[in-house]
Amino acid sequence: MEAEAADGPPGGVEAALSCFSFNQDCTSLAIGTKAGYKLFSLSSVEQLDQVHGSNEIPDVYIVERLFSSSLVVVVSHTKPRQMNVYHFKKGTEICNYNYSSNILSIRLNRQRLLVCLEEAIYIHNIKDMKLLKTILDIPANPAGLCALSINHSNSYVAYPGSLTTGEIVLYDGHSLKTVCTIAAHEGTLAAITFNASGSKLASASEKGTVIRVFSVPDGRKLYEFRRGMKRYVTISSLVFSMDSQFLCASSNTETVHIFKLEHLTNSRPEEPSTWTGYMGKMFMAASNYLPAQVSDMMNQDRAFATGRLHFSGQRNICTLSTIQKLPRLLVASSDGHLYIYNLDPQDGGECVLIKTHSLLSSGTTEENKENDLRPPLPQSYAATVARPSTSSASTVPGYSEDGGALRGEVIPEHEFATGPVCLDDENEFPPAPKDGFVESCHLFANDDALTGLGRCSLQASRTLTLLRLG
């Protein structure tokens, strides 16, 4: 599951990081700087281990790692139209692709690699990097907003379908056909994301007050959460937990909101036995006669838990991950820090900041002074953790590229995509270049339009050259 920082520092202030993103299963963090990029492992709270770092490409503004593999995709401001794919353990460049305009975002899973431009989305087969489809009949998308399900068995794609409303186009990355359109919000979209299995899609508009969750592929609304009422905010990241029980949203404010995806049971007694019970029943009944907008607001769920940041206005991304067997909230900020919080999955409430790491000083960590002596966890939290798990994250298709070895879990063989997907030093895909060759592709839009069908049908022409490395 991944998130990416928007371009440009806030308020004209120079940011320490030009981009940052969590990988698909939230086990790794990638950052881009003026000097290059770095990859970190997120297996420990106390220790932040740098997996890899490179200064070969300066001014990086997109860096994405494929699960826990050696495959990393990098885009630099020096060549904003070129995507570079590397095998960092071997220190080799697998290929590079050039596009007709600047690359705004990249998404990838075991089967597909998406390259999003302002007016086009390119879908590649990740095993051989072959271009499968170019989606060109889309409205202008200057933010490069798009989402790809990390589940290789469905590979759903979502992107904005309108310039003026919050319409979402749901696209099948396997059959390469549009599935449906979802009227998600009245205002334009600011964030969209799939859960790990690709069965749910969450979205937020530019107002940032309401977050909605829809079922996939039918587009039915499942949940509606209210982040706030008094002020509009800019949602910077939106992400599900790996088990899809929680949804986390961060913005340009000092509060990270975590919502719990659960419906209230209908096992309440027919007749409430208290005065407050009677009033509550009357209140809910009255909502049926109120205007739809007021009724919807009354029925929206509030945040189950929150994380307090010591700053506001800085670009940041959040994720929910299990580290050392406990649920954590992670927030990476453009000032070059990673903040780790404890999350109480039973009672929620305010998350406790337990560690602050510097992302710019390798191996350097900074203890939160207010939490040098870590407070004991609430009893209910410990009791929750002690309970045996009813489901294993390893049952989620597309969960971990290392086969769960780092977590002591084993993913059944049938849950991997067909083909050479077990990425290791000897069997990476796409294949690492041999004999000093690198594949370089140039993709440009063809301006010819087919008008007989009532809409333009543009195709991408693909030229392939092989460049020998000096």
Side-chain angles (χ1 to χ4, degrees):
M1 180 167 303
E2 61 190 89
E4 187 174 298
D7 291 339
V13 179
E14 186 69 20
L17 305 182
S18 55
C19 66
F20 31 85
S21 64
F22 294 103
N23 68 341
Q24 294 82 357
D25 58 0
C26 306
T27 59
S28 178
L29 172 65
I31 66 169
T33 66
K34 291 286 186 180
Y37 69 92
K38 295 180 181 180
L39 306 177
F40 298 94
S41 171
L42 300 175
S43 59
S44 170
V45 170
E46 299 296 327
Q47 187 74 21
L48 185 65
D49 296 323
Q50 182 175 317
V51 177
H52 174 68
S54 173
N55 295 330
E56 293 183 5
I57 297 183
D59 210 5
V60 171
Y61 73 95
I62 293 177
V63 55
E64 299 286 345
R65 184 184 184 187
L66 179 62
F67 288 90
S68 298
S69 75
S70 301
L71 190 72
V72 61
V73 182
V74 181
V75 183
S76 167
H77 277 301
T78 58
K79 294 183 179 179
R81 297 186 178 187
Q82 179 173 296
M83 173 185 69
N84 303 279
V85 183
Y86 294 101
H87 185 298
F88 68 79
K89 286 185 180 178
K90 292 183 178 180
T92 55
E93 181 180 13
I94 295 172
C95 63
N96 62 71
Y97 275 64
N98 288 278
Y99 300 86
S100 57
S101 62
N102 291 357
I103 300 171
L104 300 180
S105 62
I106 288 176
R107 304 285 181 261
L108 58 163
N109 64 21
R110 288 192 179 94
Q111 292 282 15
R112 298 291 182 256
L113 186 151
L114 262 60
V115 179
C116 184
L117 314 183
E118 183 172 352
E119 296 183 345
I121 297 176
Y122 291 81
I123 303 178
H124 293 267
N125 179 24
I126 202 169
K127 292 183 180 181
D128 56 13
M129 296 307 297
K130 178 182 178 181
L131 178 64
L132 301 177
K133 180 73 174 182
T134 306
I135 306 175
L136 290 161
D137 53 343
I138 65 175
N141 184 15
L145 185 62
C146 69
L148 171 67
S149 166
I150 70 170
N151 184 355
H152 61 259
S153 65
N154 54 48
S155 291
Y156 286 118
V157 180
Y159 60 90
S162 171
L163 278 172
T164 57
T165 67
E167 181 181 278
I168 302 173
V169 177
L170 184 63
Y171 190 88
D172 191 321
H174 277 305
S175 64
L176 304 177
K177 295 180 180 178
T178 299
V179 177
C180 68
T181 57
I182 303 172
H185 302 270
E186 292 183 359
T188 53
L189 295 169
I192 48 177
T193 186
F194 288 99
N195 67 338
S197 64
S199 61
K200 294 181 177 66
L201 175 68
S203 65
S205 71
E206 288 187 345
K207 292 182 179 180
T209 54
V210 175
I211 296 170
R212 296 187 173 101
V213 179
F214 303 90
S215 61
V216 174
D218 58 9
R220 179 171 51 91
K221 187 174 74 172
L222 300 176
Y223 304 91
E224 187 167 286
F225 303 107
R226 177 161 289 275
R227 193 214 56 81
M229 295 178 62
K230 294 182 178 180
R231 56 176 175 172
Y232 294 162
V233 302
T234 301
I235 299 292
S236 56
S237 66
L238 189 63
V239 62
F240 287 92
S241 60
M242 286 299 294
D243 59 8
S244 300
Q245 292 185 17
F246 301 97
L247 178 65
C248 183
S250 67
S251 65
N252 58 340
T253 69
E254 65 282 355
T255 305
V256 178
H257 293 79
I258 300 172
F259 305 95
K260 194 169 186 178
L261 279 67
E262 61 179 357
H263 286 297
L264 296 176
T265 61
N266 295 322
S267 58
R268 287 178 293 183
E270 288 293 329
E271 294 296 331
S273 57
T274 64
W275 182 84
T276 55
Y278 278 109
M279 291 302 296
K281 187 175 181 179
M282 293 174 60
F283 183 77
M284 294 304 296
S287 69
N288 296 326
Y289 301 96
L290 294 173
Q293 290 181 340
V294 178
S295 178
D296 289 345
M297 185 179 298
M298 289 166 56
N299 293 323
Q300 286 165 351
D301 293 325
R302 302 307 174 113
F304 168 77
T306 56
R308 300 292 177 183
L309 306 177
H310 297 303
F311 58 84
S312 63
Q314 294 181 12
R315 291 182 292 118
N316 65 83
I317 58 172
C318 63
T319 195
L320 297 168
S321 181
T322 300
I323 301 178
Q324 295 170 315
K325 300 182 180 180
L326 296 177
R328 321 283 188 176
L329 165 66
L330 280 65
V331 180
S333 172
S334 60
D335 67 356
H337 290 88
L338 174 67
Y339 304 91
I340 302 179
Y341 298 77
N342 273 346
L343 167 64
D344 185 337
Q346 184 176 15
D347 295 332
E350 186 164 343
C351 299
V352 179
L353 177 64
I354 57 172
K355 196 73 175 181
T356 301
H357 291 280
S358 171
L359 299 172
L360 298 176
S361 302
S362 179
T364 300
T365 62
E366 300 175 4
E367 279 291 350
N368 178 20
K369 295 181 180 180
E370 297 179 0
N371 294 282
D372 285 339
L373 297 176
R374 190 174 305 172
L377 297 176
Q379 179 62 35
S380 57
Y381 180 42
T384 302
V385 174
R387 290 203 307 262
S389 175
T390 57
S391 62
S392 172
S394 63
T395 61
V396 179
Y399 174 68
S400 177
E401 205 60 68
D402 58 16
L406 295 179
R407 296 166 177 261
E409 299 164 346
V410 178
I411 300 180
E413 192 65 28
H414 69 273
E415 289 190 355
F416 285 107
T418 57
V421 300
C422 185
L423 302 188
D424 53 38
D425 286 344
E426 300 301 326
N427 296 302
E428 294 280 354
F429 75 89
K434 297 180 179 179
D435 302 325
F437 283 96
V438 169
E439 181 181 287
S440 177
C441 299
H442 301 268
L443 303 174
F444 299 97
N446 185 348
D447 291 331
D448 294 334
L450 300 178
T451 58
L453 298 179
R455 65 176 182 178
C456 294
S457 176
L458 303 179
Q459 296 180 338
S461 61
R462 182 171 181 257
T463 61
L464 171 64
T465 60
L466 293 178
L467 304 178
R468 179 178 293 275
L469 294 179

